[in-house]
Amino acid sequence: MKVLLYGADGKVGSVLGPKLEEAGHEVTRARSGDQPKRDGHDAAIDFTRPDAVRKNIEGCLQAAIPCVVGTTGMGPADLASFDELARRRDIACFVAPNFAVGAVLMMRFAAEAAKYLPKAEIVELHHDSKVDAPSGTAQATAEAMPGEVPIHSVRLPGLIAHQEVLLGGEGQLLTIRHDTLSREAFVPGVLLALDKLSSLPPGVTVGLESLLE
Ligand code: NAP
């Protein structure tokens, strides 16, 4: 596929670009301040910033280019706008707060455990240049669990992306933890999303789990 990659010089984008090429895709790299030509691309991928993603993705959807969005920190209005534009163009827009399969399994196991241990809290830990808090993964985890699940955000140098879900019961503690040790962890999920884009329904589809089942 001919892929337009927004955020190509970022921490994720700089890992993703060469991996997309290794997988046989042709990559146009879009950096901050670029105005890349959209025409002729089969798909766009965005790993930028919450204040940049909307313009990039709305422009692509208006040009009838299906999109894969990894950027976090968007609000419901962003997703509603993507959904409307994608439906109007009869194309897919896939959005995932976490493209690492281990993190998706962590969310699933946490939702399952919460049926039996309903008191839970989430600690998410990320590198100190992450601009949004709490993380999209922590919010998605909490939303899949019953009741109000407090989220604690830690931002420190040296970290990449880590999360613990702590579930307490009388005399016991269950900890479900996922660690992203390098940004290669996101690559298979993004490749899978690209592969499945043409078979997804028009509009927004959220979450890697919807591609795994
Ligand atoms: P990063 O290192 O800050 O990279 C973002 C890149 O996007 C920077 O190079 C930035 O350039 C560039 N950029 C900003 N505005 C742009 C625009 N309008 N067009 C093109 N490029 C633009 O951040 P990161 O760690 O790679 O993460 C990127 C996003 O993905 C964040 O929202 C993060 O939370 C999210 N993320 C998601 C997942 C997932 O699995 N869904 C995994 C990891 C990260 P400047 O520095 O010059 O502004």
Side-chain angles (χ1 to χ4, degrees):
M1 287 171 99
K2 205 166 172 217
V3 178
L4 178 53
L5 175 60
Y6 289 100
D9 279 356
K11 288 186 281 297
V12 176
S14 58
V15 171
L16 200 49
K19 293 286 184 189
L20 288 166
E21 287 166 339
E22 263 176 45
H25 299 293
E26 193 183 321
V27 180
T28 305
R29 289 169 164 79
R31 300 166 170 98
S32 192
D34 288 355
Q35 304 276 317
K37 279 213 179 79
R38 298 187 185 98
D39 295 353
H41 291 95
D42 304 306
I45 300 175
D46 191 291
F47 278 86
T48 60
R49 301 169 52 91
D51 57 2
V53 57
R54 186 160 175 171
K55 191 163 168 245
N56 295 342
I57 296 303
E58 284 181 348
C60 287
L61 294 174
Q62 272 155 359
I65 299 169
C67 295
V68 173
V69 184
T71 303
T72 57
M74 294 181 296
D78 299 301
L79 287 187
S81 162
F82 297 167
D83 191 53
E84 197 204 317
L85 284 172
R87 281 172 193 270
R88 210 186 291 161
R89 290 292 185 168
D90 206 23
I91 54 173
C93 177
F94 179 75
V95 180
N98 204 315
F99 278 93
V101 69
V104 173
L105 292 173
M106 168 191 63
M107 290 188 242
R108 186 185 291 179
F109 298 155
E112 178 68 15
K115 291 180 195 164
Y116 307 98
L117 294 166
K119 287 212 84 171
E121 303 212 1
I122 295 171
V123 184
E124 56 96 345
L125 310 93
H126 283 82
H127 57 88
D128 59 346
S129 58
K130 184 172 175 64
V131 289
D132 53 312
S135 72
T137 302
Q139 289 181 60
T141 309
E143 279 161 19
M145 297 168 73
E148 282 290 302
V149 181
I151 301 172
H152 310 273
S153 299
V154 177
R155 297 287 176 267
L156 285 173
L159 297 171
I160 296 185
H162 316 260
Q163 179 167 298
E164 278 187 4
V165 184
L166 302 150
L167 299 114
E170 284 301 309
Q172 60 182 318
L173 173 72
L174 172 64
T175 304
I176 302 170
R177 181 175 174 114
H178 179 258
D179 293 283
T180 303
L181 302 175
S182 84
R183 291 175 176 89
E184 271 80 8
F186 306 122
V187 173
V190 175
L191 291 175
L192 178 68
L194 272 185
D195 197 41
K196 299 256 176 159
L197 260 186
S198 62
S199 58
L200 290 176
V204 167
T205 299
V206 178
L208 194 63
E209 60 282 7
S210 54
L211 305 185
L212 297 174
E213 276 149 14

